[in-house]
Amino acid sequence: MGGSEDRLDLPSNILRKIRNAKSASVLTGAGVSAESGIPTFRGAGGIWEKYDFTKLATPQGFKEDPRLVWEWYQLRQKEIKKAKPNAAHITIVDMEDHFPRFSVLTQNIDGMHSRAGSRNVVELHGSIWRMRCERDGLMIQDDDPVTEIPPMCQCGSILRPDVVWFGEQLSPDVVDEASRVANESEVMFVVGTSAVVYPAAALPAITKNAGGLVIEINLEPTDITSYADASLFGPAGEMLPALWNAAVRIPKAL
Ligand code: OAD
């Protein structure tokens, strides 16, 4: 047993509920990819400390300087491409094999859950690996960083990253699907999100209000902590495997 198991002070009824749930979900944020070397947005060393989001992550910023925005996205694509899924991503794949119904609801645009092997992934904020034309609706998926900056559509317009920027709405279909999943989840694991960006931050409350368990994993307390059934403070790549061992792997082996 490693040190993380010692920090796992979960009552046996919670572990049993996790193990026996028929429907579960994980809501992830940038913290789940931190141990893969992909920077988070907030906190020390966070992206928004170093970069101006109004220039890089708003429709106005893109309109003013699409080249600058694409240079930044290309840099992030290269960083993400080099990264490898970590133990938290991999544990989430194991969860999908265990629960009869399971979805990953992610705010991340890095595609790391799918690369790790998760199948049922709802990307709330889009994907850095897709771009689209706002004029004719063309959508292009590419697993490699862009080479032409800015990338152009055949219609002559500049393509944009298919991500949700500040001031933009999430796709209504995606919000409906995430709300449905949250409502039917007997347990939702909330991993590595500061829970300040809505509507994603409201999803755990949907699960809680529908009678489900909310289990949080983060380095520090968030707004979720006040109503979570349990909060585990530590790195996701250690705490999530430790939790999964305690709830499912070890009881199964006994
Ligand atoms: P944030 O950067 O706001 O928060 C990351 C969270 O992960 C913090 O609460 C950290 O404490 C926690 N964390 C960091 N390292 C961790 C680790 N190794 N293990 C566990 N937890 C860790 O990222 P998000 O909550 O994802 O939106 O941010 C939400 C949205 O704001 C993003 O999707 C993005 C951003 O601006 C858009 O761009 C629309």
Side-chain angles (χ1 to χ4, degrees):
M1 295 266 154
S4 325
E5 265 90 353
D6 303 337
R7 279 185 278 161
L8 256 193
D9 194 16
L10 283 181
S12 57
N13 68 320
I14 290 199
L15 293 174
R16 201 173 329 109
K17 277 188 187 167
I18 293 175
R19 183 162 65 246
N20 295 335
K22 297 282 173 275
S23 176
S25 56
V26 181
L27 170 66
T28 62
V32 80
S33 294
E35 288 151 85
S36 295
I38 301 172
T40 60
F41 294 96
R42 298 174 182 80
I47 288 178
W48 299 144
E49 213 173 58
K50 209 159 127 199
Y51 294 99
D52 180 354
F53 78 87
T54 59
K55 291 200 170 78
L56 300 171
T58 62
Q60 295 80 357
F62 185 67
K63 212 166 151 197
E64 275 160 31
D65 198 343
R67 175 169 287 275
L68 177 78
V69 172
W70 267 115
E71 277 166 358
W72 186 61
Y73 274 86
Q74 184 194 45
L75 192 78
R76 290 176 66 201
Q77 284 178 326
K78 287 180 177 168
E79 260 177 18
I80 293 166
K81 183 93 188 174
K82 277 192 284 180
K84 291 194 174 48
N86 66 53
H89 297 113
I90 291 164
T91 302
I92 292 169
V93 179
D94 290 348
M95 290 179 165
E96 190 159 9
D97 294 335
H98 172 80
F99 294 113
R101 290 188 300 287
F102 183 76
S103 301
V104 181
L105 311 175
T106 188
Q107 298 166 84
N108 300 345
I109 60 171
D110 57 22
M112 295 297 280
H113 288 298
S114 304
R115 262 172 67 193
S118 288
R119 297 174 298 276
N120 205 5
V121 182
V122 179
E123 291 178 317
L124 297 161
H125 295 163
S127 170
I128 199 164
W129 302 111
R130 277 196 313 266
M131 46 195 178
R132 70 169 198 262
C133 176
E134 285 188 304
R135 187 149 92 188
D136 62 16
L138 179 81
M139 187 80 84
I140 297 176
Q141 169 114 27
D142 191 348
D143 295 341
D144 286 310
V146 288
T147 46
E148 175 201 2
I149 289 187
M152 304 296 294
C153 183
Q154 312 112 320
C155 78
S157 326
I158 296 176
L159 293 163
R160 61 164 280 176
D162 187 31
V163 300
V164 178
W165 281 324
F166 288 98
E168 293 185 318
Q169 301 287 321
L170 278 68
S171 138
D173 289 350
V174 162
V175 175
D176 285 354
E177 172 64 2
S179 309
R180 188 194 63 72
V181 165
N183 193 52
E184 76 152 44
S185 291
E186 290 164 54
V187 50
M188 178 187 278
F189 303 93
V190 183
V191 185
T193 177
S194 57
V196 295
V197 173
Y198 284 78
L203 292 168
I206 297 181
T207 298
K208 182 78 185 178
N209 291 337
L213 280 184
V214 173
I215 313 285
E216 180 185 37
I217 295 180
N218 202 305
L219 295 180
E220 57 190 29
T222 70
D223 285 355
I224 309 291
T225 314
S226 60
Y227 66 85
D229 295 275
S231 290
L232 306 174
F233 298 118
E238 291 174 27
M239 302 312 282
L240 207 53
L243 167 64
W244 199 239
N245 280 342
V248 174
R249 285 199 195 110
I250 293 172
K252 221 182 236 172
L254 290 178

